Amino acid sequence: MAETRRVTAGPATYVLRAFVIAYLVLLVAWPVVLVGTNTFENGTTAITEVFSDPDMVHALRLSAVAAVVATAVNTVFGVTISMLLVRKQFPGKRVLSALIDLPLSVSPIVVGLALMLVYGGRNGWLGPTIEGWGLQVVFATPGIVLATAFVSLPLVIREVVPVLHELGTEQEQAAQSLGASGWQTFWRITLPSIKWAVIYGVVLTLARSLGEFGAVKVVSGNVLGETRTATLAVEEKYLNFDQEGAYAVAFLLASVSVLAILVVFVLRARGTRHRAFERQS
Amino acid sequence: MTVALEGRPARSRPSLVNHDLTTASGIGLGVSMLWFSLLVLIPLTAVMVTASSGGWGEFWRSITNEQTAAAIRLTVTAAAAVTLANIVTGTAIAWVLVRDRFPGKGLLELVIDIPFALPTIVAGLVLVSLYGNDSPLGLHLANTEWSIYLAFLFVTLPFVVRMVQPVLEELDLEVEEAAASLGASRATIFRRVVLPSLAPAIAAGAALSFARAVGEYGSLVLLSGNLPFESEVTSVRILSAIENDNRAAATSIAAVLLVISLLVIVALDVLQRRVARRG
């Protein structure tokens, strides 16, 4: 990332370096690579089997739909809340700013339980009313979307808020003094400047949403071919001694996450270069 | 939604009016708050309300149930131990990423973020493949208490690193050089100069890591075996209460976790103000 400042390398540097590399290889890199090798033990048959099973295709599609809807909602919500938190004053702002982070630290099982208590069709707080309108939330796709949106809620905000702070208001004020409306200022000035932070947040949200497991397990009902998502299918396959199938689906999910990290990594490197350039000029 | 919607912007003297919302941003705030309430606040309130509806006695009986108490004890102990470990390893990793230079360092950057983006169930499967019964290392940690520590270490890896790294990058090297020129040893410089500036970031990362570990579920499903009194964590207890339709027990245990999350959020808010990332 930033240029390395210390060049003098004593023995402590090498010990520390070796420790960090060994730790990361044993904890993350090696296990992740094993999933790949386990998947392709018998060539590509495991993967092709997943795609030829209509229930698995349904599970993958359900995961993708829930992730895309949750990400879209969280992006609009995230950018709006970030703008309000950084640019506006209103009562309760500090409390809101703290509460926004709450979904990151709540157990996914608690998330599922909380959604059941409110949207459960039998005795939830709002569930029976909403079902009266003909919309089933829990044990159906809307519940899966809600659970997914809950757990990934703060990710866009956490990326956009620091960038908005750093950006300052000079350009926005200039635009407004030249007669631009609030909307025009947002679309033409603010949004292009926070573009990369938003994309970065969207990629993280998408990766996190696609992989949600605990909360979805509670609210989905886990019905094969109906409300079973890809992550639930991994558990189901593994527990039913279909290890190859479990590894294959896990490999697909892991590939998407690694791809997401790569995208973010490239974007972040680009952002750092951009900022370093601005500092120089 | 305590905000009154007023069309009149009060830009010049925000101190006299307690908000500066225009009509559009007022509506934006209203809609956002409605969504946030429906999605997060009302459901979490429902947990607390349902937990307290049976009275204190019922709540206390639920969480002091022998098996539940053992699960809570194991979860909190393991989360605390892993958080302490992360404070050391996370700071060390951040240090190496910022101050050291060697080929392949970029790859380590990628590896750090994998636990964050990897689905938790896949994380569990991944760990089973190296530390399960077919372990190529001969380490059979699956279905033991140690599997909990392993899974927690995996899922909480990025938190301290990613909080400390940016602060370390911004740190002024001149102060350290001055200390060195005055004869301070490397250890002294780290303890007296570097560590105090990193402390709030380390603490914030530790808080996030503790909260994440206490509520962890997905990565343990395939790894821990969920043996009562040995490798069963709090989330698993809540799930079995839900599956047995024991709403009182489920919400009581969930309330304990929720209180821990809230405490962490308060701690984070205080700490992040010190790290100055959100105004």
Side-chain angles (χ1 to χ4, degrees):
Chain A
M1 304 264 98
E3 89 275 31
T4 313
R5 292 135 160 192
R6 176 158 302 181
V7 197
T8 51
T13 312
Y14 292 110
V15 172
L16 203 58
R17 186 192 298 175
F19 165 76
V20 165
I21 294 175
Y23 184 75
L24 293 177
V25 165
L26 282 175
L27 190 62
V28 185
W30 192 357
V32 171
V33 169
L34 273 183
V35 168
T37 53
N38 285 351
T39 307
F40 293 105
E41 223 165 30
N42 302 325
T44 53
T45 47
I47 298 279
T48 44
E49 252 170 53
V50 167
F51 284 110
S52 56
D53 179 350
D55 287 331
M56 283 318 303
V57 174
H58 182 272
L60 288 168
R61 193 180 300 141
L62 179 60
S63 280
V65 167
V68 168
V69 175
T71 305
V73 174
N74 277 343
T75 305
V76 175
F77 171 80
V79 173
T80 312
I81 284 285
S82 305
M83 289 295 292
L84 291 166
L85 283 178
V86 178
R87 296 282 189 262
K88 298 287 175 183
Q89 292 299 327
F90 53 91
K93 186 171 123 168
R94 179 161 178 188
V95 177
L96 178 63
S97 165
L99 282 178
I100 286 289
D101 280 337
L102 196 56
L104 278 188
S105 67
V106 177
S107 166
I109 298 295
V110 176
V111 173
L113 174 65
L115 291 173
M116 288 278 280
L117 290 175
V118 174
Y119 299 103
R122 223 168 355 121
N123 42 12
W125 284 7
L126 307 173
T129 318
I130 297 175
E131 269 190 20
W133 302 339
L135 181 69
Q136 192 189 353
V137 179
V138 164
F139 303 138
T141 311
I144 298 173
V145 172
L146 281 183
T148 308
F150 189 120
V151 295
S152 58
L153 182 89
L155 297 175
V156 170
I157 299 168
R158 288 179 75 87
E159 295 310 322
V160 172
V161 161
V163 177
L164 271 178
H165 264 300
E166 213 174 305
L167 199 63
T169 52
E170 268 178 36
Q171 291 188 340
E172 289 168 24
Q173 278 169 353
Q176 267 168 354
S177 74
L178 293 171
S181 72
W183 272 116
Q184 282 174 322
T185 316
F186 175 74
W187 283 110
R188 302 255 179 99
I189 307 291
T190 315
L191 198 57
S193 320
I194 60 171
K195 185 174 61 184
W196 292 113
V198 174
I199 294 174
Y200 186 13
V202 166
V203 174
L204 284 179
T205 309
L206 206 57
R208 183 75 181 77
S209 304
L210 202 59
E212 182 44 32
F213 174 72
V216 168
K217 186 173 177 176
V218 177
V219 298
S220 74
N222 197 4
V223 180
L224 177 67
E226 280 174 42
T227 57
R228 179 169 298 165
T229 63
T231 49
L232 294 172
V234 174
E235 182 195 17
E236 220 50 49
K237 279 185 177 296
Y238 190 84
L239 296 180
N240 293 328
F241 305 102
D242 179 9
Q243 293 212 0
E244 213 180 45
Y247 276 116
V249 181
F251 175 79
L252 291 175
L253 288 168
S255 313
V256 176
S257 345
V258 171
L259 189 71
I261 299 171
L262 267 171
V263 169
V264 165
F265 185 72
V266 171
L267 289 183
R268 211 197 277 170
R270 182 194 180 112
T272 322
R273 258 205 315 278
H274 188 64
R275 274 205 298 281
F277 175 75
E278 274 185 349
R279 232 177 265 144
Q280 275 172 1
S281 56
Chain B
M1 276 152 290
T2 49
V3 182
L5 295 177
E6 284 180 48
R8 178 173 52 89
R11 278 200 203 93
S12 51
R13 288 189 187 163
S15 55
L16 293 181
V17 194
N18 59 2
H19 70 86
D20 60 355
L21 298 167
T22 57
T23 313
S25 54
I27 293 169
L29 182 65
V31 173
S32 303
M33 282 311 295
L34 182 66
W35 171 241
F36 189 55
S37 306
L38 284 173
L39 185 66
V40 178
L41 298 181
I42 297 174
L44 293 184
T45 311
V47 172
M48 298 310 262
V49 169
T50 316
S52 58
S53 62
W56 178 256
E58 169 98 42
F59 171 77
W60 191 248
R61 250 195 318 283
S62 297
I63 62 166
T64 50
N65 164 295
E66 221 181 322
Q67 201 179 336
T68 305
I72 295 178
R73 213 175 305 126
L74 170 65
T75 314
V76 172
T77 313
V82 163
T83 302
L84 284 177
N86 276 333
I87 289 176
V88 178
T89 55
T91 311
I93 294 170
W95 180 273
V96 168
L97 288 180
V98 175
R99 296 288 173 94
D100 205 349
R101 190 214 294 259
F102 53 92
K105 204 178 80 169
L107 211 58
L108 289 192
E109 289 271 2
L110 286 180
V111 168
I112 304 281
D113 280 334
I114 287 183
F116 183 77
L118 205 64
T120 49
I121 185 75
V122 178
L125 190 65
V126 156
L127 290 173
V128 166
S129 63
L130 187 57
Y131 299 100
N133 292 330
D134 307 327
S135 168
L137 284 172
L139 282 169
H140 303 300
L141 299 179
N143 306 332
T144 69
E145 196 186 325
W146 298 112
S147 63
I148 311 284
Y149 289 83
L150 182 66
F152 284 5
L153 276 178
F154 186 92
V155 296
T156 59
L157 171 73
F159 293 113
V160 173
V161 181
R162 290 299 182 223
M163 289 304 278
V164 172
Q165 204 179 359
V167 181
L168 203 53
E169 267 165 14
E170 295 295 317
L171 216 58
D172 198 353
L173 260 188
E174 277 170 26
V175 187
E176 287 170 55
E177 278 158 9
S181 72
L182 292 170
S185 72
R186 271 183 146 188
T188 314
I189 296 174
F190 185 75
R191 194 163 47 85
R192 303 286 291 273
V193 180
V194 179
L195 209 51
S197 342
L198 298 185
I202 295 176
L208 276 175
S209 141
F210 183 77
R212 176 67 206 265
V214 163
E216 182 53 25
Y217 172 71
S219 60
L220 296 166
V221 178
L222 306 178
L223 187 65
S224 75
N226 303 328
L227 307 169
F229 300 103
E230 203 191 321
S231 62
E232 189 182 46
V233 294
T234 318
S235 300
V236 175
R237 283 299 289 161
I238 302 176
L239 189 65
S240 37
I242 296 173
E243 280 166 355
N244 296 328
D245 224 1
N246 186 349
R247 194 164 270 208
T251 50
S252 299
I253 313 168
V256 175
L257 287 190
L258 211 48
V259 168
I260 297 178
S261 309
L262 278 170
L263 288 176
V264 167
I265 285 302
V266 171
L268 254 185
D269 183 58
V270 173
L271 290 166
Q272 276 186 335
R273 249 147 245 278
R274 287 208 204 159
V275 188
R277 285 185 55 195
R278 189 181 288 179

